[in-house]
Amino acid sequence: MTDSCFYCEKDSRLTYLMIPIADFSTSTFYLNKDQTHKGRSIVAFNDHKRELFELTQVEREAFIEDVANAANALQGAFDPAKVNYAIYGDLVSHLHFHIVPKYENGEEWGEAFVNAPQEKKLLSDNEYDQCIQAIQNQI
Ligand SMILES: [Zn+2]
């Protein structure tokens, strides 16, 4: 299935949805272009694996460390009240975490975030750059 996976191909299907922030040891950290939740990001494992249990223990520990470092950077950049984490992958089965900062009185506070909102909050290129710079400053 890797021939149809945009996380592997890193093609326009990927760049339509997200912008790279940083390369981690086992994964790539991306800013999700949907910024309904400020700082919404993705950490995608570098190899095409479907499930956490397919990783070796060493890989899994390193991957979770990457996820924690990503969330820590988002906390430092935007001071959310809570960071939410989700692995879905029904349609895109390449292992990736959605990392979604949540803000009190903000969208979906106290509930699960909507993965594919009907109306995405998109930013200008300059606003994306500022957002990514703020995160990179925390890594
Ligand atoms: Zn893949």
Side-chain angles (χ1 to χ4, degrees):
M1 296 293 282
T2 51
D3 60 342
S4 67
C5 173
F6 64 71
Y7 283 108
C8 289
E9 299 295 322
K10 297 186 183 343
D11 59 17
S12 61
R13 293 172 296 171
L14 182 140
T15 56
Y16 175 75
L17 293 170
M18 59 194 81
I19 305 167
I21 299 170
D23 292 322
F24 289 150
S25 67
T26 68
S27 62
T28 306
F29 185 20
Y30 295 101
L31 187 74
N32 193 316
K33 285 188 178 175
D34 170 37
Q35 288 291 295
T36 300
H37 305 87
K38 188 171 179 61
R40 180 177 182 184
S41 303
I42 290 164
V43 174
F45 194 67
N46 283 337
D47 293 333
H48 190 87
K49 301 288 175 137
R50 291 167 56 90
E51 306 290 353
L52 281 173
F53 59 72
E54 296 175 2
L55 277 53
T56 67
Q57 185 172 353
V58 169
E59 288 174 331
R60 193 162 40 244
E61 287 173 0
F63 183 44
I64 295 299
E65 189 70 15
D66 291 347
V67 170
N69 286 336
N72 191 39
L74 295 173
Q75 187 72 48
F78 306 122
D79 196 29
K82 181 70 181 79
V83 179
N84 288 184
Y85 307 82
I87 298 178
Y88 298 135
D90 297 0
L91 302 179
V92 182
S93 62
H94 185 125
L95 186 59
H96 64 283
F97 268 93
H98 293 279
I99 303 181
V100 182
K102 300 284 282 293
Y103 303 88
E104 280 187 78
N105 305 316
E107 294 285 333
E108 294 144 1
W109 176 248
E111 306 168 26
F113 67 89
V114 174
N115 188 44
Q118 291 203 325
E119 221 169 300
K120 293 182 176 184
K121 182 176 180 183
L122 301 177
L123 307 180
S124 69
D125 288 348
N126 190 41
E127 288 170 324
Y128 283 128
D129 287 345
Q130 288 177 2
C131 196
I132 287 168
Q133 190 64 55
I135 298 166
Q136 287 174 336
N137 288 344
Q138 299 292 323
I139 294 173

